[in-house]
């Protein structure tokens, strides 16, 4: 890094107070060293021993011989449950295609709001990503995924300085480049440079990191995240071609071969290069949400600039419909940010909600004239260097919301088509259910989860009014 005068400078780690953004610490990295990843981590068994005192942070601490003279270890020691800031770095050398070494730095902010470096670990490769799993630190280091624990600061045969130190507990090596990590419980998903998404499981009692399943299709990932489902977690990935893909692990599959695969359950061309995913919601708890109701969310909706939420336990087809925003905000929602500055939302849907909004989307595709007469179906189709596939199990929320811009005459025509689409879907489900029940020797008439539908007594069909449709779409638009 060079200044305007052409002088060489070092990269730094800066710490700010969250309330007033006052700078409370600076840590200078080594020459050619760059910070790549950071996270907050609460170690399960952090050092509780007294740590030898050292200098505290100054406005601009310097470094020499690879040791910090500005950010020292804490003189009061660390207590159990303390939160640490962990920074992953890489030494970027022009002659190397990929960094061959990096460091993991563990910082603690003391009660006097001074920042201290309490531990550092040199690793063989760039530290691309960091996360916390079961009270340990999990890091994507080059082609490896490694789990570290923070050993206590007592002097012994393995720790001559008496300072806390990061110790490698286990690792997984079957990657090309471990760019992204996300964690839920004991499960870790890895977004790889080439090998798409891999699902790992960390077993704290055995101190092992084992591969559970992977996507065997090649895909260059830009970001990954875990989306809560009713029964299975959905793993969402964004690739360099502007696609979103949802994967699911079928843990109860019959064969070992099927159990070790991540099954594709949704594909969608977003048209944006995603920088990051983050679990959360664009709004707080919806105003009229029935938080006591459960959800049967099982499918996923992708919306480039707005959200589609999971429905309440009451069917979206029901006369007692309350709101599609019944789940606690953020519980099944993932936000994303793109290179162009767009902010979007991906939220799971119940089966009934999915059927309804698929019907709305189909009608809108026929009704809305796209700019330049571009084909919406082709634009939203999954496409990369290896294959093309139609949009599947994911809904274009922006297209659905365009119904709110129609006048009354257009709305009435569109709603008639929506009713036809919904009834055709329900009829097909009933036929399939009847065929299945006859094959099983059952007399069940229908098994579709359509609840207390808005049935017209004369035609025995679902008939939404303009107000019914607008209300359901406005629930989405509010997110």
């Amino acid at each position: 890094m060079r200044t305007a005068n052409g002088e060489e400078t070092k990269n730094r780690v800066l710490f700010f107070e969250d309330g007033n953004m006052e700078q409370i610490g600076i840590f200078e990295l080594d020459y050619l060293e760059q910070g790549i990843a950071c996270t907050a981590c609460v170690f399960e068994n952090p050092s509780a021993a007294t740590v030898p005192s050292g200098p505290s942070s100054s406005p601009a601490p310097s470094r020499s011989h690879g040791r910090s003279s500005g950010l020292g270890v804490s003189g009061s020691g660390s207590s159990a449950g303390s939160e640490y800031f962990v920074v992953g770095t890489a030494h970027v050398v022009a002659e190397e295609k990929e960094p061959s070494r990096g460091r993991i730095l563990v910082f603690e902010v003391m009660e006097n709001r001074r920042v201290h470096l309490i531990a550092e670990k040199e690793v063989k490769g760039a530290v691309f990503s960091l996360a916390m799993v079961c009270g340990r630190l999990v890091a994507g280091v080059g082609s490896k995924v490694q789990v570290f624990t923070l050993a206590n600061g007592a002097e012994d045969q393995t720790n001559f300085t008496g300072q806390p130190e990061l110790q490698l507990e286990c690792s997984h090596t079957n990657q090309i480049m471990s760019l992204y990590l996300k964690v839920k419980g004991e499960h870790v998903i890895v977004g790889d440079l080439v090998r798409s998404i891999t699902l790992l499981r960390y077993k704290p009692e055995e101190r092992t990191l084992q591969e559970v399943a992977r996507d065997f299709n090649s895909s260059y990932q830009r970001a990954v995240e875990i989306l809560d489902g009713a029964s299975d977690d959905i793993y969402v990935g964004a690739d360099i071609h502007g696609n979103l893909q949802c994967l699911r692990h079928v843990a109860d599959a019959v064969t070992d071969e099927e159990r070790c695969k991540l099954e594709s359950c949704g594909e969608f061309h977003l048209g944006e290069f995603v920088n990051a995913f983050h679990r959360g919601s664009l709004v707080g708890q919806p105003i009229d949400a029935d938080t006591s109701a459960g959800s049967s969310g099982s499918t996923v909706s992708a919306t480039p600039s707005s959200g589609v939420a999971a429905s309440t336990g009451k069917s979206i087809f029901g006369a007692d419909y309350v709101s599609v925003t019944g789940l606690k905000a953020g519980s099944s929602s993932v936000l994303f940010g793109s290179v162009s500055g767009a902010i979007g939302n991906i939220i799971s849907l119940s089966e009934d909600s999915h059927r309804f909004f698929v019907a709305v989307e189909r009608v809108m595709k026929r009704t809305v004239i796209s700019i330049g007469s571009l084909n919406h179906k082709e634009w939203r189709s999954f496409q990369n260097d290896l294959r093309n596939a139609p949009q599947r199990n994911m809904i274009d929320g922006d297209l659905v919301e365009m119904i709110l811009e129609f006048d009354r005459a257009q709305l009435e025509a569109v709603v008639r088509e929506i009713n036809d689409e919904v009834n055709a879907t329900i009829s097909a489900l009933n036929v399939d259910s009847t065929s299945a029940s006859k094959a099983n020797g059952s007399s069940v008439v229908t098994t579709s989860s359509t609840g207390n539908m808005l049935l017209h007594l004369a035609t025995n069909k679902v008939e939404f009014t303009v107000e019914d449709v607008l209300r359901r779409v406005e629930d989405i638009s509010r997110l």
Side-chain angles (χ1 to χ4, degrees):
M1 182 177 177
R2 293 180 181 272
T3 64
N5 298 326
E7 299 177 353
E8 291 284 352
T9 62
K10 295 179 180 179
N11 293 305
R12 300 180 296 176
V13 181
L14 306 180
F15 297 86
F16 296 91
E17 186 74 52
D18 60 352
N20 53 18
M21 295 303 293
E22 177 187 355
Q23 185 173 292
I24 61 175
I26 304 175
F27 183 83
E28 287 191 354
L29 300 175
D30 289 339
Y31 177 63
L32 296 179
E33 186 179 22
Q34 297 183 8
I36 299 180
C38 64
T39 191
C41 185
V42 179
F43 289 95
E44 189 173 81
N45 295 308
S47 171
T50 301
V51 180
S53 61
S56 60
S57 61
S58 61
S62 61
R63 289 177 51 81
S64 62
H65 306 294
R67 292 290 179 182
S68 171
S69 60
L71 285 176
V73 295
S74 166
S76 60
S78 305
S79 59
S82 297
E83 185 175 41
Y84 300 89
F85 292 100
V86 186
V87 177
T89 72
H91 289 80
V92 181
V93 182
E95 292 75 17
E96 295 180 345
K97 292 184 178 180
E98 295 295 337
S100 61
R101 66 189 185 100
R103 289 192 301 166
I104 300 176
L105 308 173
V106 182
F107 299 94
E108 183 177 16
V109 181
M110 307 305 293
E111 292 181 359
N112 60 2
R113 312 310 291 165
R114 307 298 281 180
V115 183
H116 298 268
L117 174 69
I118 67 165
E120 64 176 292
K121 178 79 171 180
E122 186 162 330
V123 293
K124 296 180 179 179
V127 184
F128 292 112
S129 52
L130 295 167
M132 188 181 73
V133 58
C134 300
R136 277 83 164 174
L137 178 71
V138 57
V141 181
S143 62
K144 301 178 180 179
V145 179
Q146 298 181 324
V147 177
F148 296 90
T149 185
L150 187 64
N152 66 37
E155 292 187 28
D156 55 27
Q157 295 179 351
T158 60
N159 188 355
F160 299 103
T161 63
Q163 296 182 6
E165 63 177 350
L166 282 173
Q167 293 183 348
L168 178 63
E169 193 169 88
C170 59
S171 62
H172 181 269
T173 59
N174 194 19
Q175 306 295 327
I176 301 297
M177 195 174 292
S178 305
L179 298 179
Y180 311 102
L181 297 176
K182 289 299 172 71
V183 175
K184 181 182 178 184
E186 295 181 352
H187 289 94
V188 180
I189 61 169
V190 185
D192 189 74
L193 175 68
V194 176
R195 294 187 172 178
S196 189
I197 295 177
T198 302
L199 175 62
L200 307 177
R201 183 186 178 191
Y202 172 70
K203 296 183 178 181
E205 64 280 356
E206 300 176 9
R207 297 189 177 185
T208 58
L209 192 61
Q210 299 177 351
E211 181 175 317
V212 178
R214 68 164 55 243
D215 177 19
F216 287 92
N217 296 306
S218 178
S219 177
Y220 191 149
Q221 296 296 305
R222 290 187 58 92
V224 297
E225 189 51 273
I226 302 173
L227 181 65
D228 292 337
S231 56
D232 299 316
D233 289 327
I234 305 295
Y235 309 107
V236 185
D239 65 21
I240 61 171
H241 298 282
N243 299 310
L244 291 179
Q245 185 175 23
C246 294
L247 302 168
R248 177 176 54 202
H249 178 225
V250 185
D252 56 351
V254 177
T255 65
D256 292 338
E257 183 180 358
E258 292 174 336
R259 282 193 293 271
C260 70
K261 290 182 180 180
L262 289 179
E263 178 187 76
S264 176
C265 60
E267 294 175 325
F268 185 85
H269 181 68
L270 185 65
E272 295 277 356
F273 293 103
V274 175
N275 275 335
F277 285 123
H278 186 75
R279 297 176 71 179
S281 175
L282 290 171
V283 296
Q285 184 66 30
I287 297 173
D288 60 347
D290 181 6
T291 56
S292 63
S295 172
S296 58
S298 58
T299 55
V300 178
S301 172
T303 62
S305 64
S306 58
V308 179
S311 72
T312 65
K314 298 176 181 178
S315 170
I316 196 170
F317 293 101
D320 54 356
Y321 167 79
V322 178
S323 169
V324 305
T325 57
L327 279 186
K328 182 179 179 181
S331 63
S332 293
S333 173
V334 168
L335 301 176
F336 63 82
S338 72
V339 172
S340 66
I343 298 176
N345 207 353
I346 306 172
I347 307 180
S348 62
L349 293 171
S350 70
E351 292 184 9
D352 280 347
S353 294
H354 181 262
R355 289 167 189 155
F356 172 78
F357 289 115
V358 163
V360 177
E361 184 188 36
R362 286 175 180 169
V363 174
M364 294 299 291
K365 286 179 181 179
R366 298 195 296 262
T367 305
V368 176
I369 301 175
S370 60
I371 298 175
S373 298
L374 297 175
N375 189 294
H376 184 276
K377 180 179 179 181
E378 292 179 1
W379 167 245
R380 290 305 182 193
S381 295
F382 180 94
Q383 48 194 296
N384 58 25
D385 294 334
L386 301 176
R387 66 187 182 93
N388 292 340
Q391 168 190 350
R392 181 164 60 92
N393 286 343
M394 305 185 80
I395 300 169
D396 188 343
D398 281 346
L399 180 63
V400 168
E401 289 183 18
M402 290 180 69
I403 195 174
L404 301 176
E405 302 173 7
F406 289 176
D407 58 32
R408 185 72 185 188
Q410 288 177 306
L411 283 172
E412 291 176 350
V414 166
V415 169
R416 284 195 296 269
E417 292 190 50
I418 291 173
N419 284 327
D420 292 340
E421 287 282 348
V422 170
N423 284 302
T425 301
I426 294 175
S427 298
L429 287 172
N430 288 338
V431 169
D432 292 342
S433 300
T434 303
S435 300
S437 63
K438 287 181 178 179
N440 296 327
S442 171
S443 59
V444 177
V445 175
T446 179
T447 59
S448 59
S449 56
T450 51
N452 181 21
M453 295 185 297
L454 298 175
L455 290 176
H456 190 277
L457 295 179
T459 62
N460 199 36
K461 292 183 177 180
V462 177
E463 289 193 7
F464 290 106
T465 64
V466 170
E467 288 71 22
D468 291 333
V469 173
L470 289 180
R471 180 181 176 187
R472 286 154 175 79
V473 177
E474 284 172 351
D475 278 337
I476 297 169
S477 181
R478 185 167 58 248
L479 291 179

